């Protein structure tokens, strides 16, 4: 195949336009650098009337509101999902992995849950605390100034609570709790689980002239047309394009390889254009990989340099290793006290207004690390399909099961908004044996080797899930709830743990370690072996916390971009 090279050399080529790539683009462009962003998906702007799905009734969707096979529904902003036609992946042996990919400008930030939690001081040195895994080479103090900057730039609501491992911040005012959330908070008090206002990145107060303020339509998963929720396109890439740097967007372009010269320095990125299926090259003085943890590992595995035939920057042999996702499990209950309410608009932000940060520090537990609880429910606009577990609720209430016509409609209305779900998201321990790697022979429709996953939970995660399931049941029961699934799932069923990958917090494939024999990246997110290649996604995480990862991805991407700027000033790259 003939590769088409462009003569222009950019100061930086960034692969991926999600949380990490968007942040790197914004910081580098504002410093005046010329930047090429290579993005595998199409252009997307939620404010564009042809792309906007916010505020459209479910009945306007292709199946007119009926249940849909598309994950999260027809109007969801994610243009791809668990499966992408022509781009398969597989789990090895009896292991499992679910891989969510969103191919579009802004990546998964167009429809993420926007739970925006900082890691705490303990989260950077877990090995010191429980002897498992590894400590990060950096501490909370190294990243805290970047969390502060991210908070101020993007906006996150919440409350300062003086919790030791869930740091306070520059919070915008949180939205008021809804009725089910008031019930859950009270129940939390009864069972000794403190529940506090949520911490999410929807703007509840004007922060700049480019972004509107949330008007509580509850549809952030469709991406906000007034840019009141954080999406990398609207909040980072578009401002980068208006800044003093020069930003060129290459959408629908699937990066394939980092190209290096005889000295091992990276010089360009090659990509396949999805429009003409031809291969091109874009030259850059610095390459920033932010295609998401697994895609970045894949790119490096498909690249090489003199003496580096096992993937680029993989002298440690850890590329793709230590892949880990948050643990996830949960259940729900019907709360009779919430039945028979007047119908009123109970919309809020598209996510929870409250949550329970991990409360188990210092307690005697039979598992390492912790988890937090996310609480869902309320009387928002109905979603797709005929949900609500009607027959089960009828059974629980001793009503006649089934029905039709007006009596059934009345019953459905009476039950509406009375189901509450609680989900746990926890920290798993990063293991060498949990990994992703490229298939030895299979390629996708672009000719790029596909990915294989090898991932198993251990008893650490199973025991954590059991504890979470019991805590969730305690809260729901204290709310007066009738549990849909009263028994905690058995050990054989992993106590209800979802498959690895299913929480979509995959991290750790190019982890940062000071010792080049133990990790792919150094403490500045730069490849140990290729000084002009940086990683700006969750690949660099040495360990996940009991927090969702995106705020940390962005803080680290900003830190890496600052390092690039300072190295350029010193003429090192
Ligand atoms: C439904 C859902 C809910 C979530 N909720 C939360 C939450 O509440 N809190 C939280 O912290 N996290 C949440 N997450 C996770 C969060 O979305 C990710 O952590 C975050 O988006 C990762 O940022 P990233 O930049 O690494 O990757 P992405 O946002 O996935 O961006 C990567 C970009 O790279 C592009 N790309 C991939 N491969 C290539 C290639 N070869 N060439 C060119 N471009 C490429 C992709 O198209 C994409 O645009 C959620 C995710 C999902 C799907
Ligand atoms: S809930 Fe608020 S931030 Fe979310 S889409 Fe609606 S208006 Fe925008």
């Amino acid at each position: 195949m003939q590769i088409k090279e462009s003569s222009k050399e950019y100061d930086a080529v960034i692969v991926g336009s999600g949380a990490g790539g968007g942040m790197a683009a914004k910081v580098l462009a504002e410093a005046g650098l010329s930047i090429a962003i290579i993005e595998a998906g199409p252009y997307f702007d939620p404010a564009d009337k042809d792309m906007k799905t916010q505020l459209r009734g479910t009945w306007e969707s292709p199946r007119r509101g009926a249940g849909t096979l598309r994950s999260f529904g027809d109007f969801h902003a994610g243009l791809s999902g668990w499966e992408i036609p022509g781009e398969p992946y597989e789990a090895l042996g009896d292991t499992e992995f679910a891989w969510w990919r969103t191919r579009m400008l802004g990546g998964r930030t167009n429809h993420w849950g926007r739970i925006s939690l900082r890691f705490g001081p303990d989260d950077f040195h877990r090995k010191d605390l429980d002897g498992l895994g590894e400590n990060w080479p950096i501490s909370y103090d190294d990243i805290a100034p970047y969390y502060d900057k991210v908070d101020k730039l993007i906006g996150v609501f919440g409350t300062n609570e003086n919790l030791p491992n869930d740091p306070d911040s520059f919070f915008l005012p949180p939205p008021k709790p809804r009725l089910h959330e008031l019930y859950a908070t009270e129940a939390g008090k009864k069972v000794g689980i403190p529940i506090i206002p949520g911490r999410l990145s929807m703007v509840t107060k004007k922060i700049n002239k480019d972004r509107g303020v949330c008007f509580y339509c509850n549809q952030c998963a469709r991406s906000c047309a007034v840019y009141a929720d954080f999406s990398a396109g609207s909040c980072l890439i578009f401002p980068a394009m208006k800044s003093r740097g020069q930003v060129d967007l290459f959408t629908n372009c699937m990066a394939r390889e980092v190209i290096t010269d005889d000295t091992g320095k990276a010089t360009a990125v090659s990509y396949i254009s999805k429009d003409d299926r031809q291969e091109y090259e874009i030259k850059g003085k610095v390459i920033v990989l932010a295609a998401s943890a697994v895609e970045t590992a894949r790119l490096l595995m498909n690249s090489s340099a003199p003496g580096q035939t096992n993937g680029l920057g993989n002298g440690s042999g850890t590329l793709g290793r230590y892949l880990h996702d948050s643990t996830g499990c949960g259940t729900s209950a019907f709360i009779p006290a919430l039945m028979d309410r007047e119908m009123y608009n109970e919309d809020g932000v598209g996510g929870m207004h409250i949550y329970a940060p991990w409360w188990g520090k210092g307690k005697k537990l039979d598992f390492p690390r912790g988890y937090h609880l996310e609480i869902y429910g309320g009387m928002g606009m109905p979603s797709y399909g005929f949900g609500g577990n009607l027959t089960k609720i009828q059974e629980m209430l001793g009503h006649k099961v089934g029905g039709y016509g007006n009596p059934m409609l009345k019953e459905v209305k009476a039950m509406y908004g009375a189901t509450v779900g609680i989900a746990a998201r926890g920290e798993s321990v990063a293991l060498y044996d949990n990994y992703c790697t490229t298939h030895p022979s299979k390629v996708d429709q672009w000719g790029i080797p596909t990915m294989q996953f090898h991932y198993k939970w251990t008893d650490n995660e199973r025991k954590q899930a059991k504890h979470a399931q019991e805590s969730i049941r305690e809260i729901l029961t204290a709310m007066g709830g009738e549990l849909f699934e009263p028994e905690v799932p058995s050990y054989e069923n992993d106590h209800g743990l979802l498959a690895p990958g299913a929480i979509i917090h995959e991290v750790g494939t190019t982890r940062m370690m000071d010792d080049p024999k133990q990790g792919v990246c150094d403490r500045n997110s730069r490849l140990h072996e290729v000084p002009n290649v940086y990683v700006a996604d969750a690949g660099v995480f040495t360990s996940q916390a009991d927090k969702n990862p995106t705020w940390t991805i962005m803080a680290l991407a900003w830190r890496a971009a600052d390092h690039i700027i300072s190295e350029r000033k010193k003429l090192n790259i």
Side-chain angles (χ1 to χ4, degrees):
M1 184 189 282
Q2 194 200 351
I3 299 176
K4 296 178 182 154
E5 289 181 29
S6 93
S7 53
K8 175 164 181 176
E9 185 185 46
Y10 289 88
D11 291 329
V13 176
I14 300 176
V15 180
S17 65
M23 184 56 83
K26 167 106 174 23
V27 176
L28 294 177
E30 282 183 350
L33 273 65
S34 64
I35 289 161
I37 301 175
I38 305 180
E39 167 51 54
Y43 183 81
F44 178 72
D45 178 359
D48 182 319
K49 68 175 178 23
D50 295 329
M51 300 179 189
K52 176 180 161 183
T53 54
Q54 188 189 16
L55 300 185
R56 293 176 66 190
T58 46
W59 59 89
E60 293 177 69
S61 65
R63 276 168 283 265
R64 298 171 61 198
T68 164
L69 290 178
R70 189 167 170 228
S71 307
F72 303 119
D74 281 324
F75 282 155
H76 188 249
L79 293 188
S80 347
W82 297 114
E83 305 298 335
I84 301 180
E87 298 184 34
Y89 65 90
E90 63 199 43
L92 286 163
D94 62 346
T95 75
E96 276 187 295
F97 197 82
W99 190 21
W100 179 282
R101 293 163 289 173
T102 304
R103 298 275 165 76
M104 62 199 289
L105 188 73
R108 291 177 286 186
T109 63
N110 290 301
H111 56 81
W112 67 308
R114 296 176 177 85
I115 299 167
S116 303
L117 304 176
R118 295 176 177 217
F119 287 12
D122 290 352
D123 298 324
F124 292 90
H125 67 116
R126 286 285 169 197
K127 185 177 183 182
D128 290 343
L129 303 176
D130 61 23
L132 298 168
E134 290 295 344
N135 294 330
W136 288 64
I138 58 170
S139 71
Y140 178 72
D141 291 342
D142 293 310
I143 192 173
Y146 290 96
Y147 281 134
D148 291 352
K149 293 203 242 190
V150 173
D151 289 356
K152 288 180 192 163
L153 174 76
I154 291 173
V156 51
F157 66 73
T159 44
N160 289 329
E161 302 279 343
N162 200 21
L163 299 169
N165 200 42
D166 296 271
D168 290 341
S169 176
F170 298 90
F171 290 123
L172 299 172
K176 282 200 298 196
R178 293 160 283 203
L179 189 59
H180 70 282
E181 293 170 327
L182 292 170
Y183 268 71
T185 309
E186 282 309 304
K189 282 184 196 151
K190 284 187 207 156
V191 301
I193 299 178
I195 295 180
I196 63 168
R199 296 174 172 182
L200 279 75
S201 45
M202 291 85 170
V203 169
T204 53
K205 201 172 116 184
K206 191 85 182 155
I207 60 164
N208 65 37
K209 65 176 177 31
D210 295 324
R211 296 182 59 195
V213 176
C214 176
F215 51 86
Y216 302 128
C217 77
N218 193 18
Q219 292 182 339
C220 302
R222 299 182 182 189
S223 207
C224 187
V226 300
Y227 303 162
D229 60 13
F230 169 73
S231 299
S234 49
C235 303
L236 298 174
I237 303 279
F238 299 160
M241 294 175 86
K242 289 190 211 152
S243 72
R244 70 192 180 99
Q246 180 213 327
V247 179
D248 289 341
L249 265 183
F250 295 80
T251 49
N252 277 328
C253 295
M254 189 72 196
R256 174 199 181 90
E257 192 180 335
V258 178
I259 311 288
T260 55
D261 65 14
D262 294 346
T263 66
K265 194 176 137 199
T267 55
V269 176
S270 78
Y271 67 87
I272 316 288
S273 161
K274 291 185 176 175
D275 299 328
D276 63 12
R277 294 185 167 259
Q278 300 294 307
E279 185 158 355
Y280 297 83
E281 253 184 51
I282 303 188
K283 294 196 182 82
K285 292 184 184 129
V286 176
I287 312 297
V288 180
L289 302 179
S292 78
V294 173
E295 284 284 3
T296 286
R298 181 189 188 200
L299 258 166
L300 289 171
M301 286 171 193
N302 289 325
S303 309
S304 61
Q308 298 187 35
T309 48
N310 186 23
L312 190 64
N314 190 21
S316 63
T318 61
L319 179 61
R321 299 267 169 188
Y322 302 104
L323 168 68
H324 56 301
D325 185 26
S326 300
T327 57
C329 63
T331 194
S332 54
F334 183 74
I335 317 288
L338 294 176
M339 257 181 93
D340 274 325
R341 278 192 279 166
E342 288 281 318
M343 286 288 151
Y344 59 93
N345 184 350
E346 211 182 30
D347 284 346
V349 301
M352 64 205 192
H353 292 187
I354 54 163
Y355 86 119
W358 175 232
W359 64 95
K361 184 176 162 135
K363 299 207 166 120
K364 202 168 174 322
L365 300 162
D366 65 350
F367 59 90
R369 318 292 163 97
Y371 58 88
H372 71 261
L373 297 179
E374 302 176 0
I375 295 145
Y376 300 98
M379 248 185 347
M381 280 288 282
S383 188
Y384 307 90
F386 188 82
N389 235 337
L390 174 67
T391 50
K392 182 80 190 162
I393 300 171
Q394 288 172 321
E395 248 175 61
M396 283 172 171
L397 297 175
H399 292 186
K400 184 165 170 269
V401 173
Y404 59 92
N406 282 340
M408 191 185 78
L409 195 63
K410 214 171 143 207
E411 212 174 359
V412 169
K413 274 187 162 179
M415 291 167 183
Y416 197 68
T419 294
V420 172
I422 305 186
R425 301 286 179 256
E427 178 173 359
S428 62
V429 178
L431 297 175
Y432 180 84
D433 281 337
N434 288 339
Y435 62 86
C436 58
T437 186
T438 45
H439 195 286
S441 56
K442 204 174 187 174
V443 294
D444 67 11
Q445 61 166 322
W446 317 111
I448 305 174
T450 60
M451 288 311 267
Q452 298 179 307
F453 295 88
H454 183 278
Y455 198 131
K456 280 189 170 184
W457 295 127
T458 70
D459 279 355
N460 286 333
E461 290 79 31
R462 287 186 197 99
K463 285 179 187 162
Q464 186 194 78
K466 180 165 181 284
H467 190 274
Q469 296 272 18
E470 286 162 356
S471 307
I472 292 169
R473 281 166 175 74
E474 275 186 68
I475 298 175
L476 291 170
T477 306
M479 289 173 79
E482 302 273 355
L483 292 159
F484 288 114
E485 195 190 9
E487 297 304 321
V488 171
S490 64
Y491 174 88
E492 290 66 35
N493 289 311
D494 288 342
H495 296 306
L497 270 176
L498 296 174
I503 305 304
I504 321 179
H505 293 167
E506 72 284 0
V507 305
T509 50
T510 55
R511 69 178 188 175
M512 61 161 75
M513 293 293 285
D514 277 337
D515 180 353
K517 293 198 196 73
Q518 290 200 49
V520 173
C521 291
D522 68 11
R523 55 174 53 222
N524 295 308
S525 307
R526 165 156 78 165
L527 259 56
H528 278 294
E529 288 159 299
V530 192
N532 65 337
V533 176
Y534 286 74
V535 174
D537 55 37
V540 297
F541 283 33
T542 311
S543 63
Q544 172 63 294
D546 55 74
K547 327 281 186 334
N548 316 50
T550 308
W551 225 240
T552 302
I553 294 176
M554 290 197 285
L556 289 173
W558 196 325
R559 190 170 173 271
D562 273 0
H563 193 259
I564 292 172
I565 294 164
S566 108
E567 286 293 277
R568 275 176 55 84
K569 280 191 189 137
K570 292 183 211 153
L571 302 179
N572 288 343
I573 47 175

